[in-house]
Amino acid sequence: MPKTTASTATRPRVLTGDTPTGQLHLGHYVGSVRRRVELQASHECFFLLANMHAFTTRADRPQEIRRDTLEIVRDYLAMGIDPEQCSIFIQTEIPAIAELTYLFAMLLPFNRVMRNPTLKDEIQVKGLGETYSFGFPLYAVGQTADILAFRATSVPVGEDQVPHIELTREVARRFNQVYCGVSDQAEDAEHVALGGIFPVPHADVGPIGRLVGTDGKNKMSKSLGNAIFVTDDLKTIRKKIGGLFTGRQTMTEPGDISNALFDYVRAFIPDRARVEELERRYAAGDNIGDGHIKVEVAEAIDALLAPMRERRARYEGRDDRILEILRAGCTRANAVCEETLSLAKEAAGLRFFDRELRYR
Ligand code: TRP
């Protein structure tokens, strides 16, 4: 179990998470989960299951969301997230997040929230038109609370989440200025030293902020049917990679190494020298076929996924174990978030009584 001694309390704090939409795929892994696995030993890491956010578009399917929420934990564990080193928790078990959302909503101009390009994108891609719920744009405000409730300094995310982190930075600055007396001239890095409650967090976007799907065009995503999942076996992976369209006809035709196939080469073949050799020969049309490269990529992906599939199998049918991990994670998350909430309420003149929160 992570210790709550002074030494661990000084590890820089990291918060990130996922909306439960089913299984995680390789896009999640290279975009953010891989980074989390790296960070968990040296940072105090909190990983959130944004189950309330799933209600923005699926409020009529609560059982499905509940199942997806537990399923993600299996994928986290499979991908190497270690519940002994970090905390995995459920958003709706942390009341401070909901309370801070309400308060932060007062600090954000409505039009500022609606200007968020990620929200606009989602409205388009998901075909929400004018029919989206009030809660849909509110989730962006909620996400600022997810992060600030932990007073996190770093948020490992894929590129598409950067607008949300930008909004979070604005809320942190504004709160610190309005309620903690921090000057509007202060540098972001100085906010806490100047009495601000919230560090101004930064987005930690890895080298692959967006992984293309096996359709070779769109971002990898479950709903577009272009994803490779942790549970896929070699045969399935071969088939999916085999379908990648490059447009190249012969082994001697110079190829474009900025195509989707080469994004996969760079993302999944671990041997740098081999990657460079493939790039050189492909660009030169040096007798190397797409088919051969696809086989090599599929095998590299299979080698990455094999230990994940094995770890995942250990938690199959073990909801009891998953819930135990989540209860421990929620308990640690609440310890931090209740403290933040209390500080925020004090600063905003909203602290009348103190309270204690405990699961039964
Ligand atoms: N919006 C993120 C996604 O769909 C999930 C999320 C919710 C999140 N709260 C967060 C990510 C806080 C980072 C930090 O992937």
Side-chain angles (χ1 to χ4, degrees):
M1 284 297 119
K3 296 172 215 86
T4 45
T5 57
S7 71
T8 52
T10 58
R11 288 188 296 172
R13 203 175 284 150
V14 167
L15 178 291
T16 189
D18 299 279
T19 306
T21 53
Q23 280 183 295
L24 294 186
H25 51 64
L26 282 178
H28 293 109
Y29 182 68
V30 301
S32 159
V33 180
R34 182 162 60 187
R35 181 80 181 125
R36 302 179 204 177
V37 174
E38 278 168 25
L39 289 170
Q40 62 187 352
S42 52
H43 290 63
E44 187 185 7
C45 288
F46 288 93
F47 302 130
L48 157 142
L49 308 171
N51 59 334
M52 185 50 81
H53 291 194
F55 277 71
T56 54
T57 55
R58 296 194 286 158
D60 56 342
R61 281 174 281 163
Q63 288 312 324
E64 194 182 297
I65 294 172
R66 189 183 179 91
R67 199 195 55 221
D68 287 350
T69 303
L70 299 180
E71 215 49 48
I72 283 207
V73 181
R74 287 195 176 84
D75 284 335
Y76 279 177
L77 299 169
M79 289 178 173
I81 288 182
D82 175 6
E84 300 286 319
Q85 299 193 64
C86 66
S87 302
I88 306 171
F89 69 97
I90 307 166
Q91 189 179 44
T92 52
E93 286 298 336
I94 313 301
I97 290 177
E99 292 174 63
L100 287 172
T101 301
Y102 207 150
L103 179 54
F104 293 162
M106 306 302 172
L107 298 179
L108 282 166
F110 182 75
N111 292 321
R112 168 64 186 92
V113 176
M114 298 313 291
R115 245 189 358 254
N116 183 320
T118 298
L119 283 189
K120 287 191 189 168
D121 236 47
E122 277 178 286
I123 291 170
Q124 268 238 314
V125 173
K126 296 181 181 165
L128 302 180
E130 303 269 282
T131 67
Y132 53 81
S133 62
F134 192 91
F136 175 74
L138 184 63
Y139 101 72
V141 183
Q143 186 156 341
T144 73
D146 294 338
I147 298 165
L148 297 179
F150 288 85
R151 284 164 284 158
T153 52
S154 173
V155 190
V157 280
E159 225 161 64
D160 60 319
Q161 297 295 306
V162 171
H164 293 324
I165 314 307
E166 193 41 57
L167 193 71
T168 307
R169 292 161 60 81
E170 286 177 35
V171 172
R173 290 186 197 110
R174 181 133 181 87
F175 189 102
N176 292 339
Q177 287 160 6
V178 174
Y179 299 126
C180 310
V182 173
S183 148
D184 57 10
Q185 305 297 310
E187 300 283 342
D188 287 346
E190 290 173 348
H191 269 239
V192 172
L194 294 171
I197 290 171
F198 298 109
V200 180
H202 70 273
D204 177 1
V205 180
I208 308 172
R210 174 188 185 277
L211 183 70
V212 68
T214 54
D215 58 0
K217 278 202 301 278
N218 299 296
K219 181 183 142 178
M220 186 175 281
S221 124
K222 180 176 183 254
S223 58
L224 294 174
N226 64 1
I228 295 174
F229 299 102
V230 178
T231 47
D232 287 350
D233 59 11
L234 179 58
K235 192 165 158 236
T236 312
I237 300 165
R238 275 219 182 106
K239 188 151 170 246
K240 288 180 177 177
I241 295 292
L244 251 184
F245 179 74
T246 63
R248 186 162 170 264
Q249 307 285 349
T250 69
M251 309 209 317
T252 51
E253 187 181 316
D256 177 5
I257 61 163
S258 64
N259 69 15
L261 178 58
F262 266 83
D263 284 348
Y264 282 49
V265 166
R266 285 180 292 268
F268 300 111
I269 294 181
D271 178 355
R272 288 310 312 163
R274 181 62 182 155
V275 170
E276 280 162 28
E277 184 189 348
L278 288 173
E279 286 180 332
R280 188 164 26 78
R281 289 185 56 193
Y282 196 75
D286 178 12
N287 203 28
I288 186 152
D290 284 28
H292 174 82
I293 298 173
K294 286 177 179 177
V295 169
E296 213 167 310
V297 166
E299 276 165 9
I301 292 175
D302 184 59
L304 173 71
L305 295 187
M308 294 187 190
R309 289 191 300 253
E310 194 187 301
R311 269 196 298 267
R312 199 178 196 290
R314 278 184 239 153
Y315 294 96
E316 220 50 73
R318 293 300 310 274
D319 278 6
D320 58 328
R321 180 71 192 111
I322 303 283
L323 287 168
E324 217 177 276
I325 289 169
L326 289 172
R327 172 188 285 265
C330 288
T331 301
R332 290 191 291 265
N334 269 324
V336 173
C337 295
E338 284 291 300
E339 187 187 22
T340 307
L341 180 68
S342 165
L343 292 168
K345 286 172 100 174
E346 173 73 30
L350 295 167
R351 182 171 166 209
F352 293 94
F353 312 109
D354 290 328
R355 75 180 186 198
E356 235 169 70
L357 206 149
R358 185 167 63 82
Y359 292 121
R360 281 190 283 125

